Amino acid sequence: MRASPRKTIRRASILLALALLAASIPALVQSGAGATGPAIQATPAVSGVADAETIDLCADEGTIDLPGLADVPIWGFSLDPGTGCGPATLPGPMLSVDAGDVVTVNLQNNLDEDVSIVFPGQDLAPNAVVVPAAGSGSYTFTASDPGTFLYESGTNTSVQVAMGLYGALVVRPLTAGRAYDDPAAEYDVEQVLVLSEIDPNLNSYPDPNDFDFVGDPDVYTDGYHPTYFLINGEAYPDTNPIAAASGDLVLLRYANAGLSHHTMTLLGQHQRVIAKDAYPSVANAYDAVAETVPAGSTLDTIVTLAGVAGGSTLPLYNRQLDVTNDGAYPGGMLTFLTVS
Amino acid sequence: MGATRRTRLNLLLAALAVFAVAAVAVPRSAAPLPAVAGALPCTNGTTFNLRATTGRISTPDGGSVFMWGFAKNPGAFQMPGPILCVTQGSTVTVNLQNDLSEPVSIVFPGQTAVSSSGGSAGLLAQEAAASGGSVSYTFLASEPGTYLYESGTSPHKQVQMGLYGALVVRPTMGASYAYNDAATQFDPAREYLLLMHDMDPDLHRAVERNEPYDITTKHDRYWTINGRSFPDTIAADGVAYLPSQPYGALVRVRPSTGSTLPALIRMANAGMSNHPFHPHGNHVRVIAQDGRLLGAGASLSYEQFTQTSGSGQTFDLLFRWTNVENWSTTHPIPVTLPQMRNLVFKDKVTWYSGSPYLGKKVKLPAGVVSFNRCGEYYYPWHSHALNEFQNFDEGFGGLATLLRVDPPLGQGTPPSCPGP
């Protein structure tokens, strides 16, 4: 790794939730107004000022541990806090900015091949900057609209995204404690849920670019065939429960970075779907037990815990029943909303 | 697979390759009529006794699949589980007896505050112990709509094996309404359930033989509506040759007039895949999802010609056949049977052989007087994931049924076709 030569401006409003921390605390849980869950940091509202936000990311090799399977190689993003690149994580750091911010993302590419970042939903020419191996580049855009977004590799995507080069980007509206500039989008507790899947055979391949995604067409399980299904890079039982209190409004920000659609279901209470792909349709919100988050899409739902007794535990899981780790149940995309 | 896979239904489905099914050979007296329009085959009540047990379902290609299912207790194995119909505001109790060799539970997606007694704690729900254990669930059916009930224990296995069913909560406004909203009124004689599922028979065989169950190898070969694969889906409720698959899926309507109430189609997906269900004839109006009306007065409802149902989702659809073709028995819709050269045959035995009788050319049997003796008209309704429109690689089959449009009352040959 190289020391960062870049000038950076860092502001407290950039929330960086490293998956490394997730092992010890529910790192991706943040709090809005009135939250009772663990807060990482409040985001100060900045009215009418286009702030400059600079985020230094690295693309690097790394490893993650899955249930029963240690040291799975990944390619992931990490944060350079000014002292060099941190370890790559899956998903990458969660980026949180305010609507209106002019965001600059610097990328130091420590992989052995070209990497770029795309920011779906942002006004930014895709693939404008491809960063060569051992090189660096920069992306600047105005985060004009609030919502839940992804960022992910835009180069050699079938391999690089499957290897782990993705993360969530949350753009916050002017009013804290809301997902969008609408009173009906208020929440007390929020949770980002980055959905993805892993085929360890790809990730463990000596050079993933040599991996045969098709395999033997006569063998259905050959080729690319994910067997681990992740929420924020974790498979049950390593997933973090979502803690909230009876009466809370819980905002679930789903972001599907995987290569498959994922239909997520909640038992015990409906989810109110308020936005898809960060396009709020609060007036047209509807209630769902299960909703599909297509690959590359995001979905915001609000769960009302009014009337849900403290002590309740509401299962939240993939209804395509990707609730296994390499076939073993329970596992996969399964966690719980624990109500205090 | 083909030559050994024979259908039992002597039906001509020649024109499925185009939009409309022109003709169905109907013996005058031999075969039972397709499902007569009528009320949903509900199991009504507030207390339901269910039993998790094993059985087999028949597939249209002559095979069968080993299943686990919820039966009535007492009662024989059936697929899917009984359609539980309750009235909004009822306190519902479901008593489960588990005759399987591993613990079983039931979850009720869309219901709140489900309490349980008996059994032991499981990950998603309280479980009934293997080989005779029991558990009871109680909840208030607070909101009307269409819901699933299904296993909450090793669901990747038990739901796949067939432990699922539908729950219908009727609104306080009355049984001819889907929700407590005048815009949801339907013809109670035309209420249908289309409960979808997808199956890999290799996994079922592994369970039957007590071999390892490896979900990572799942590769669907059969798709069902109400536990049946097409063309069994269009047979009547309770036909004798499908003893464990009591529910048909033929949707029957008459041409809509200004005063005609729509049919209500309760669609639900208990499978592990999302299924894009494609009705022909008219769009469906989607008025509710997962037991919740889409806006007051169904103001957020929308029309679709393909409604994708995600795993675990339900949709309520209102359907009218508006007869834009201006069809009547004196003004029949001209349907040209497709030219043989326009048909695709995968082998010598696929569906259309040039006769109404599959696989071999024979004359119409004695008693068959018309291909569509009431002058009725058919459209295929099917999964537009077209690989699901087959039975183990033989089409047409699988996740499909037909819409049957009967002539207006008083028309047709004979003039009074059965049904309302």
Side-chain angles (χ1 to χ4, degrees):
Chain A
M1 294 182 194
R2 313 185 329 188
S4 169
R6 293 175 299 281
K7 292 181 296 181
T8 58
I9 305 167
R10 292 188 186 79
R11 281 170 28 94
S13 62
I14 303 172
L15 300 183
L16 302 159
L18 297 175
L20 273 186
L21 297 176
S24 53
I25 62 167
L28 294 179
V29 178
Q30 300 176 56
S31 299
T36 55
I40 290 180
Q41 207 157 19
T43 303
V46 183
S47 301
V49 179
D51 287 329
E53 299 282 2
T54 300
I55 300 164
D56 292 324
L57 290 181
C58 309
D60 228 325
E61 296 180 1
T63 60
I64 59 170
D65 290 341
L66 298 171
L69 193 64
D71 297 326
V72 177
I74 62 160
W75 297 349
F77 290 112
S78 68
L79 183 73
D80 178 354
T83 55
C85 295
T89 60
L90 187 149
M94 193 190 81
L95 312 181
S96 176
V97 301
D98 294 330
D101 283 351
V102 177
V103 180
T104 297
V105 175
N106 298 313
L107 175 63
Q108 169 66 39
N109 178 12
N110 294 328
L111 293 173
D112 292 335
E113 63 182 59
D114 292 356
V115 172
S116 63
I117 308 179
V118 292
F119 297 87
Q122 307 304 329
D123 292 331
L124 177 71
N127 296 326
V129 177
V130 176
V131 182
S136 60
S138 184
Y139 304 86
T140 298
F141 58 93
T142 301
S144 44
D145 295 310
T148 305
F149 300 91
L150 285 164
Y151 67 95
E152 58 189 354
S153 163
T155 299
N156 191 18
T157 49
S158 60
V159 173
Q160 292 192 3
V161 174
M163 288 295 293
L165 284 167
Y166 50 76
L169 166 66
V170 172
V171 181
R172 301 188 178 283
L174 293 179
T175 306
R178 292 181 181 176
Y180 296 91
D181 285 314
D182 191 306
E186 286 185 354
Y187 62 87
D188 301 308
V189 175
E190 71 173 324
Q191 176 71 57
V192 174
L193 301 148
V194 178
L195 311 176
S196 63
E197 63 274 346
I198 289 274
D199 178 353
N201 292 329
L202 166 70
N203 287 61
S204 302
Y205 216 70
D207 180 350
N209 284 308
D210 294 335
F211 183 79
D212 183 353
F213 270 68
V214 175
D216 180 349
D218 290 334
V219 180
Y220 181 66
T221 55
D222 208 2
Y224 182 70
H225 196 77
T227 48
Y228 289 83
F229 308 94
L230 311 179
I231 300 174
N232 296 334
E234 305 281 6
Y236 185 86
D238 295 342
T239 49
N240 287 302
I242 305 162
S246 180
D248 275 352
L249 300 170
V250 180
L251 170 66
L252 302 177
R253 298 180 181 268
Y254 299 100
N256 185 355
L259 277 60
S260 302
H261 304 334
H262 293 293
T263 303
M264 301 300 292
T265 196
L266 178 70
L267 298 183
Q269 195 73 339
H270 277 65
Q271 318 179 55
R272 172 151 283 237
V273 178
I274 62 164
K276 292 181 176 178
D277 290 348
Y279 187 85
S281 53
V282 173
N284 296 337
Y286 62 94
D287 294 314
V289 169
E291 194 47 278
T292 301
V293 193
S297 267
T298 70
L299 182 79
D300 295 313
T301 71
I302 290 179
V303 181
T304 302
L305 295 180
V308 177
S312 302
T313 300
L314 310 184
L316 173 64
Y317 58 98
N318 176 302
R319 181 50 186 77
Q320 293 143 310
L321 303 174
D322 290 332
V323 288
T324 53
N325 298 328
D326 195 24
Y329 175 87
M333 288 185 186
L334 167 63
T335 189
F336 295 90
L337 185 52
T338 57
V339 185
S340 58
Chain B
M1 307 299 299
T4 61
R5 295 177 178 274
R6 291 275 54 86
T7 180
R8 64 177 67 82
L9 289 185
N10 295 330
L11 294 173
L12 169 65
L13 296 164
L16 276 168
V18 293
F19 267 23
V21 178
V24 174
V26 182
R28 174 159 275 171
S29 57
L33 280 168
V36 173
L40 202 63
C42 279
T43 299
N44 293 296
T46 55
T47 297
F48 301 97
N49 298 315
L50 300 182
R51 186 171 67 95
T53 186
T54 66
R56 303 193 77 87
I57 61 169
S58 171
T59 54
D61 51 16
S64 69
V65 180
F66 178 75
M67 304 289 290
W68 292 355
F70 292 118
K72 298 174 192 173
N73 192 14
F77 167 83
Q78 67 170 77
M79 184 57 47
I83 304 170
L84 309 180
C85 296
V86 304
T87 303
Q88 181 187 8
S90 300
T91 296
V92 179
T93 298
V94 176
N95 300 312
L96 172 65
Q97 174 187 319
N98 178 18
D99 289 347
L100 297 176
S101 55
E102 64 183 52
V104 171
S105 63
I106 306 179
V107 294
F108 298 89
Q111 308 305 323
T112 57
V114 179
S115 64
S116 52
S117 63
S120 57
L123 186 61
L124 304 182
Q126 197 82 356
E127 296 178 337
S131 306
S134 61
V135 65
S136 293
Y137 306 95
T138 300
F139 57 91
L140 175 66
S142 57
E143 298 287 340
T146 306
Y147 303 94
L148 289 165
Y149 66 94
E150 60 191 13
S151 168
T153 301
S154 298
H156 70 299
K157 177 185 182 184
Q158 295 192 358
V159 176
Q160 164 63 196
M161 288 302 293
L163 288 168
Y164 66 90
L167 167 69
V168 172
V169 180
R170 299 195 180 283
T172 53
M173 200 161 174
S176 62
Y177 295 87
Y179 293 85
N180 289 309
D181 195 305
T184 69
Q185 190 178 11
F186 63 96
D187 181 349
R190 303 186 188 279
E191 180 184 16
Y192 301 96
L193 173 70
L194 303 178
L195 174 52
M196 299 179 272
H197 196 49
D198 40 63
M199 299 188 299
D200 178 351
D202 288 349
L203 292 175
H204 291 241
R205 188 178 302 112
V207 171
E208 184 175 22
R209 295 177 179 175
N210 203 25
E211 292 169 353
Y213 179 90
D214 184 359
I215 191 63
T216 69
T217 66
K218 183 172 190 270
H219 193 176
D220 297 330
R221 301 295 191 184
Y222 292 110
W223 294 266
T224 58
I225 302 176
N226 299 344
R228 299 178 180 181
S229 296
F230 185 81
D232 289 344
T233 48
I234 62 174
D237 290 352
V239 290
Y241 59 81
L242 296 168
S244 61
Q245 296 149 276
Y247 306 132
L250 179 70
V251 175
R252 290 185 62 172
V253 298
R254 292 188 194 272
S256 182
T257 66
S259 59
T260 308
L261 288 170
L264 174 66
I265 294 143
R266 300 180 181 272
M267 191 167 82
N269 182 1
M272 293 169 72
S273 301
N274 296 0
H275 298 296
F277 194 74
H278 180 62
H280 283 272
N282 273 110
H283 291 26
V284 291
R285 176 159 287 274
V286 184
I287 61 165
Q289 178 180 344
D290 297 346
R292 293 296 181 272
L293 187 63
L294 293 169
S299 55
L300 300 180
S301 67
Y302 52 91
E303 292 195 343
Q304 295 280 86
F305 56 79
T306 300
Q307 174 60 34
T308 294
S309 189
S311 299
Q313 291 183 325
T314 74
F315 292 93
D316 293 314
L317 317 173
L318 293 181
F319 181 78
R320 298 173 187 272
W321 192 73
T322 54
N323 196 9
V324 292
E325 294 91 339
N326 194 27
W327 165 70
S328 71
T329 48
T330 55
H331 183 254
I333 295 168
V335 175
T336 305
L337 289 177
Q339 295 290 319
M340 293 288 283
R341 64 176 176 271
N342 292 335
L343 296 178
V344 175
F345 298 99
K346 295 165 68 174
D347 50 50
K348 291 185 296 185
V349 297
T350 304
W351 281 100
Y352 185 56
S353 66
S355 94
Y357 295 94
L358 304 174
K360 57 181 179 179
K361 295 182 179 182
V362 295
K363 291 182 179 177
L364 291 176
V368 173
V369 294
S370 166
F371 282 163
N372 46 350
R373 73 171 178 184
C374 295
E376 75 274 18
Y377 196 60
Y378 292 88
Y379 293 88
W381 284 19
H382 60 95
S383 170
H384 224 296
L386 293 167
N387 60 306
E388 302 176 351
F389 197 2
Q390 55 182 359
N391 299 318
F392 214 129
D393 207 25
E394 292 291 339
F396 297 103
L399 211 166
T401 185
L402 296 180
L403 167 70
R404 171 177 170 148
V405 181
D406 283 304
L409 277 173
Q411 293 188 23
T413 311
S416 56
C417 265

